[in-house]
């Protein structure tokens, strides 16, 4: 029996989930048109239901969209959606309602790239084995970073955060959950100033990375018993700051860890309504 299975393929690393991407938006109605009507995602019905913030469910992950001057992620977010054809129809229907904004979408062979009213780019992919057994979810976030930064960023996540990370071909790839990744891709283009957007991760070893971050002076917020934050990715060998992106770090004892999220079936309407098909199940069915 020895050697029958590759047990290392099941290893995850210390970061166990990428829970949300947070960018502020100046207009909740336009955000609803783009994220809910256009992308076909679901507003969380239980939390942040007022007029100044919106949490939008994407399978087991979320976009958080508080009201404030717009923030634009320096890169793009990759999501999996169940139906490319239906997505394109929805996005086309939103064009008129978002006239005068930066909204747009373009079809590519492998994905559809949709741009929100303020310039955030969302690449939408059909379900595929490379994203794991899901039909809906945030698969990755890719950041544009300066030339020469990828190796040091990979070292930071391995040595400080205890994550599985590697660098190759001018990019660092960090595993941040089952079928979820952060990618830091080097670019020759000018990188805009950091505007405060953030991501949120859950970690199994909460205190170990905290002690290392604290020792390096990198903790930016002591949030509460279950959470802290840091912003700078510093090469553990040189101390040089390579990139800035705020991480909201939560323990697996956080009350929100593994909170069930509601996802609707965006194909349902009052015209073609089918009883029993209101909800969408993010997990893929087993393959034959």
């Amino acid at each position: 029996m020895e050697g029958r299975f590759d047990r290392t393929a099941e290893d995850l690393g210390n970061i166990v989930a990428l829970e949300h991407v947070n960018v502020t938006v100046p207009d909740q109605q336009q955000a609803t048109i783009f994220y809910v009507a256009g992308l076909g995602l679901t507003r969380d019905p239980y939390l942040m239901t007022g007029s100044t913030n919106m949490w939008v469910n994407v399978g087991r992950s979320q976009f958080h969209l508080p009201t404030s001057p717009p923030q634009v992620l320096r890169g793009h977010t990759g999501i999996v959606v169940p139906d490319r054809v239906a997505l394109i129809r929805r996005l086309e229907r939103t064009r008129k309602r978002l006239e005068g904004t930066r909204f747009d979408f373009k079809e590519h062979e492998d994905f559809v790239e949709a741009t929100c009213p303020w310039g955030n780019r969302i690449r939408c992919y059909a379900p595929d084995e490379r994203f794991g057994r899901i039909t809906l979810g945030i698969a990755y976030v890719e950041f544009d970073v300066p030339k020469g930064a990828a190796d040091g960023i990979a070292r930071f996540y391995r040595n400080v955060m205890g994550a599985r990370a590697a660098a190759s071909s001018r990019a660092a790839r960090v595993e941040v959950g089952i079928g979820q990744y952060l990618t830091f891709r080097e670019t020759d283009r000018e990188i805009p100033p950091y505007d405060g957007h953030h991501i949120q991760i859950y970690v199994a070893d909460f205190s170990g990375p905290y002690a290392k971050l604290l020792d390096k002076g990198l903790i930016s917020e002591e949030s509460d018993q279950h959470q802290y934050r840091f912003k700078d990715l510093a090469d553990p060998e040189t101390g040089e700051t390579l990139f800035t992106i705020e991480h909201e770090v939560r323990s697996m004892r956080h009350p929100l860890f593994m909170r069930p999220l509601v996802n609707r079936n965006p194909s349902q309407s009052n015209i073609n309504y089918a009883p029993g098909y209101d909800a969408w199940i993010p997990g893929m069915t087993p393959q034959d």
Side-chain angles (χ1 to χ4, degrees), residues 78-96:
I79 70 173
V80 178
V81 295
D83 190 329
R84 174 175 171 142
V85 173
L87 169 70
I88 293 168
R89 286 200 298 262
R90 289 193 303 268
L91 291 172
E92 190 59 53
R93 288 197 297 266
T94 66
R95 279 198 186 278
K96 187 173 182 180

Side-chain angles (χ1 to χ4, degrees), residues 129-144:
E129 290 181 1
R130 62 186 156 152
F131 302 123
R133 297 167 64 82
I134 63 166
T135 57
L136 179 65
I138 295 181
Y140 70 87
V141 183
E142 179 167 308
F143 299 99
D144 299 330

